[in-house]
Each structure stands twice: as C-alpha cells, then as structure tokens.
Amino acid sequence: MSFQDTYRLSVHAVITNGKQQVLQVKATYDGGQWGLPGGSLEPGETVHEALVRECLEELGCEVEVCYMSGMYYHQAYNAHACIFRCHLATPPPDAEMRLSPEHSEYRYFALDELSPVQRQRVEDCLNFDGKVRSAAF
C-alpha cells in the first residue's frame, strides 16, 4: 500500500434490547440501507472516541463501550470495520433517540432478520469469548 492510497476504518456498535434484538439505523443515502450505528474515524481520533461520537451524532444518545469483538474487511469499500459491544448510557424507556439527518428511522432486528455479513459480525459480538474475531467479505 502506498502513502497516497485511500483506506478507510470505521467503528460500529452492537446495541441490543431486552429481547436480544439488535439496533440498526436506516441511512438516508446509498440506497437507504440498514446498518449498525457508527461510522468513519476522523483524523487524530481513537476508535473509542469515534464510536462514542458517531453514536451521539446518529442516535442522540451516549453509549458505554464494553469491548471490541471483531475487525472485518469489506472489499467493496476497501475498509475495515471494528465492531464493539455497547449499551445505551441511559437505558430505554428514558433514552430518547434523536436521529441525525443521515438516518430516517431506527429499529431493533431479530438475528435472523440480519444480512449474512451483519449476522456474523453481530453473533461474533454477542458470543464474545475474549478473542477478537476477523473475517473478510
């Protein structure tokens, strides 16, 4: 990889409700895809700082970061995504979601409703045994 190459690193939160359903947000760009809250790091940011900032921007809620469970390469984006287990700092029903303009809605999904890639990343996170996982898609 040369110094001028473009490479991306993102962070994403696995947040569940009492039914072990996973929080996802629907983008207002790129075809309106559903995905885990999170996004790209800014220059000089740590992965933890970026995750807390992205969740606050996207959800209007602060999160508590528990652990990083995996790092996954996505060939289509030439990017790695770091997956973290998180909890809302203020649990529902007191946590009020205020979505950013980048997202139109949020919803909790059952594991079997997730795409295969998303499901693997989430299951790795929820079944975390102290070993950080990795895979390429």
Side-chain angles (χ1 to χ4, degrees):
M1 202 169 152
S2 77
F3 185 75
Q4 284 78 23
D5 286 347
T6 301
Y7 174 77
R8 297 180 181 101
L9 180 64
S10 64
V11 290
H12 302 276
V14 173
I15 301 168
T16 56
N17 62 12
K19 299 176 186 175
Q20 287 298 78
Q21 296 169 315
V22 180
L23 177 66
Q24 294 207 326
V25 290
K26 185 175 184 180
T28 57
Y29 56 89
D30 200 24
Q33 305 253 349
W34 287 93
L36 297 171
S40 296
L41 276 74
E42 293 182 357
E45 248 181 348
T46 69
V47 290
H48 292 88
E49 290 168 340
L51 184 60
V52 169
R53 176 187 52 77
E54 283 287 345
C55 287
L56 186 57
E57 288 175 6
E58 293 184 359
L59 304 173
C61 298
E62 291 189 18
V63 296
E64 295 172 358
V65 180
C66 301
Y67 54 81
M68 184 174 123
S69 60
M71 185 175 216
Y72 304 88
Y73 177 71
H74 294 275
Q75 183 177 7
Y77 301 104
N78 189 31
H80 274 90
C82 301
I83 305 299
F84 290 82
R85 180 68 162 117
C86 296
H87 298 289
L88 296 175
T90 304
D94 297 328
E96 179 184 333
M97 301 279 184
R98 292 180 316 279
L99 298 177
S100 74
E102 295 178 351
H103 298 93
S104 59
E105 47 185 309
Y106 71 91
R107 189 179 130 207
Y108 286 90
F109 288 80
L111 289 176
D112 62 1
E113 295 178 285
L114 302 177
S115 71
V117 169
Q118 199 72 284
R119 185 174 180 165
Q120 179 180 345
R121 298 181 338 168
V122 169
E123 285 182 340
D124 287 350
C125 185
L126 296 177
N127 297 320
F128 184 65
D129 61 2
K131 296 178 184 174
V132 176
R133 304 292 181 213
S134 66
F137 303 103

